[in-house]
Amino acid sequence: MVKIVFIGAGSTVFVRNVIGDCMCTPVLQDAEIALYDISPERLKDSEIILSALNQNINEGRAHISCYLGEAQRKAALKDATFVINAIQVGGYEPSTIIDFEIPKKYGLRQTIADTLGIGGIMRALRTIPVMDSFAHEIEEVCPDAWLLNYTNPMAMLTGYMLRYTDVKTVGLCHSVQVCSRELFEQLDMQDKLEGRKEVIAGINHMAWLLSIKDKNGVDLYPEIKKRAAAKNAAGKHENMVRFDYIKNFGYYCTESSEHNAEYNPFYIKSKYPELIEKFAIPLDEYPRRCIRQIKGWEEDKKNILANGKISHERSNEYASYIMEAIITSKPYALGGNVLNNGLIFNLPDEACVEVPCLVNGTGITPCRIGPLPPILAAMNMTNINTQLLTIEAARTKTREAIYHAAMLDPHTAAELSIDDIRALCDELIDAHGPYMAMYK
């Protein structure tokens, strides 16, 4: 029997989508589903929702069990075929609030703060020790399992697991599979969707649409560039930063403008506050999003519990398709996060890159890309520097290494002096308390 372990099962909306996808996949419908979390309330919510879903769409075929707290984690993992990771160490409160509010005191503003920037660094440093403890248990009780990591910061966490543990790991994001579709919808080019051929590669949240052709092999980039420039000139919209990337670097990237606004020194600048308005940059977006999601979930839960009517259709999330391909040997292609090891010639081997991968019964095999255009590799390197230094800080447990990671972060370095960066890091580490007590 296939066993699927979901770590961070208190992420109720996400566990509903991913496990719901499994219940819509014939080869996974009889799976054993082990839900693990450290919150009894959230774990119970997920159990109720998935049990209802199992009855409504799966004739009760899945076997659902729950495991609470570290003492039960190894039992949850035992004999797992697949492990899905969706944890958020420290949660919205207190950790996300800390990651936004303390940097503001230093004049450092953020939008999402979960991938790069000082917020992404701190999130990685609290999460990697927890994932390292997962790794030891996976190596002991389910050494052949595949770990499907959905937790951010994707490149830092996945990179650590691939370099410093023996766990078979791939990092999965939501942005690659919708990249060109959303672009065409924004530019009113939906007629080009069917039969399109594309290549996407780079790093997580900054992978590049390297080529895009229609079903007849015609290059679509000239038309994309023309329409993107016209749309930015016509007025503010939610994707102005990514369209500005097209103007200045020649290529579109996978992740949203609110994310990419903080991955570089160009757009969020205290010396030029007018750029915030010009590029429609939503400062403090992630805390607002968390509040909306918490409120929305409470309302959804009331409705679901009141009438028991819950259904699901298979989404475009990668997880269930990966499991299906490995079990059945039916090939499947995706954009996955893996160690570079020569896949992209002009990025470091130890970097975690996002590239096309083929999945079948042998596992997940990444595809060699060759070199990126120099400007794109250079943009990626500004992020990779911080990612590698953050992993080093997590490995060595030293504050000096944390300072180095923050000093090389593009946005942080553009706004703060070295002395302020050191002081900010110290204040954040102290504020996170037990989550970062290991860093001396």
Side-chain angles (χ1 to χ4, degrees):
M1 177 183 289
V2 175
K3 182 176 180 181
I4 302 167
V5 180
F6 200 110
I7 298 179
S11 304
T12 309
V13 174
F14 189 56
V15 75
R16 169 184 169 177
N17 288 339
V18 172
I19 300 302
D21 286 352
C22 296
M23 292 178 183
C24 294
T25 306
V27 73
L28 303 173
Q29 288 174 329
D30 295 325
E32 179 183 352
I33 309 294
L35 306 177
Y36 170 81
D37 206 272
I38 60 172
S39 166
E41 295 83 9
R42 297 298 297 272
L43 185 60
K44 186 62 178 178
D45 286 347
S46 292
E47 181 186 21
I48 291 170
I49 299 307
L50 290 181
S51 295
L53 197 61
N54 191 31
Q55 293 301 321
N56 292 351
I57 70 169
N58 195 32
E59 300 178 350
R61 283 177 288 189
H63 307 271
I64 300 172
S65 55
C66 293
Y67 299 84
L68 178 65
E70 288 186 36
Q72 295 187 11
R73 191 172 63 215
K74 191 182 293 187
L77 289 167
K78 184 173 174 57
D79 299 325
T81 316
F82 302 100
V83 180
I84 300 165
N85 181 51
I87 63 173
Q88 184 180 356
V89 178
Y92 166 65
E93 190 172 3
S95 290
T96 294
I97 295 173
I98 290 170
D99 283 344
F100 275 84
E101 293 304 315
I102 290 178
K104 284 183 190 177
K105 293 167 52 179
Y106 292 79
L108 189 63
R109 302 297 301 274
Q110 301 170 97
T111 55
I112 305 295
D114 73 349
T115 295
L116 206 72
I118 195 66
I121 292 169
M122 292 297 141
R123 183 179 283 227
L125 293 173
R126 356 183 244 277
T127 307
I128 286 174
V130 177
M131 289 187 63
D132 189 66
S133 66
F134 296 167
H136 293 306
E137 293 177 354
I138 291 171
E139 290 165 356
E140 179 182 347
V141 301
C142 54
D144 294 325
W146 274 96
L147 175 65
L148 312 182
N149 178 51
Y150 275 100
T151 298
N152 284 324
M154 178 62 64
M156 299 183 199
L157 304 185
T158 305
Y160 178 88
M161 295 296 284
L162 289 168
R163 290 173 62 194
Y164 294 111
T165 80
D166 292 325
V167 177
K168 297 187 293 186
T169 305
V170 64
L172 305 175
C173 190
H174 318 281
S175 57
V176 174
Q177 60 264 57
V178 299
C179 175
S180 61
R181 177 177 293 278
E182 290 184 349
L183 174 62
F184 286 176
E185 289 171 353
Q186 292 156 12
L187 298 181
D188 196 22
M189 295 175 63
Q190 295 94 325
D191 61 315
K192 304 298 183 182
L193 281 168
E194 186 176 354
R196 70 193 184 280
K197 297 177 177 62
E198 63 189 35
V199 177
I200 296 175
I203 61 173
N204 180 244
H205 285 191
M206 197 189 279
W208 306 99
L209 184 61
L210 296 174
S211 68
I212 179 75
K213 298 178 180 180
D214 70 12
K215 60 185 178 183
N216 298 315
V218 176
D219 183 6
L220 295 174
Y221 249 124
E223 184 65 18
I224 288 170
K225 291 177 180 179
K226 183 176 73 173
R227 294 195 185 202
K231 192 171 180 67
N232 265 16
K236 289 187 293 184
H237 59 90
E238 65 179 11
N239 238 344
M240 297 197 75
V241 169
R242 283 204 281 181
F243 286 3
D244 203 50
Y245 275 12
I246 296 176
K247 173 185 174 182
N248 289 291
F249 308 134
Y251 296 85
Y252 186 67
C253 78
T254 49
E255 190 49 76
S256 64
S257 285
E258 64 263 25
H259 273 279
N260 272 274
E262 64 182 4
Y263 298 163
N264 55 67
F266 307 132
Y267 302 103
I268 305 175
K269 302 177 76 70
S270 55
K271 187 176 179 181
Y272 301 100
E274 66 273 13
L275 293 175
I276 304 299
E277 178 74 13
K278 177 180 178 181
F279 287 99
I281 296 170
L283 296 174
D284 298 324
E285 171 62 18
Y286 188 66
R288 286 194 298 272
R289 193 173 293 176
C290 289
I291 292 169
R292 289 196 303 269
Q293 288 174 341
I294 292 168
K295 181 180 178 181
W297 163 241
E298 290 302 323
E299 293 175 355
D300 286 348
K301 182 172 70 171
K302 290 177 184 177
N303 294 332
I304 291 167
L305 295 180
N307 56 38
K309 294 180 180 178
I310 178 173
S311 189
H312 183 79
E313 294 183 2
R314 196 176 186 186
S315 73
N316 64 4
E317 291 288 357
Y318 285 141
S320 68
Y321 297 95
I322 291 172
M323 298 180 207
E324 180 182 39
I326 290 175
I327 292 167
T328 66
S329 290
K330 176 184 176 182
Y332 177 69
L334 73 144
N337 289 271
V338 297
L339 273 191
N340 187 25
N341 284 335
L343 300 172
I344 298 178
F345 296 173
N346 46 355
L347 295 181
D349 281 351
E350 65 270 28
C352 181
V353 295
E354 195 165 68
V355 296
C357 299
L358 179 66
V359 190
N360 57 25
T362 65
I364 301 171
T365 303
C367 299
R368 189 170 67 170
I369 295 299
L372 295 179
I375 183 60
L376 304 188
M379 279 290 289
N380 283 165
M381 277 306 306
T382 65
N383 285 222
I384 289 170
N385 290 332
T386 298
Q387 292 164 0
L388 295 181
L389 289 168
T390 302
I391 291 172
E392 182 67 9
R395 187 185 69 82
T396 61
K397 305 287 194 297
T398 59
R399 289 203 183 197
E400 194 67 23
I402 296 174
Y403 302 149
H404 293 164
M407 288 174 193
L408 270 292
D409 175 70
H411 176 44
T412 304
E415 292 282 80
L416 304 184
S417 69
I418 287 180
D419 287 344
D420 279 348
I421 289 171
R422 286 177 174 267
L424 171 59
C425 288
D426 286 339
E427 190 168 348
L428 282 166
I429 293 167
D430 293 344
H432 283 299
Y435 294 115
M436 295 186 65
M438 67 288 295
Y439 297 102
K440 306 299 183 183

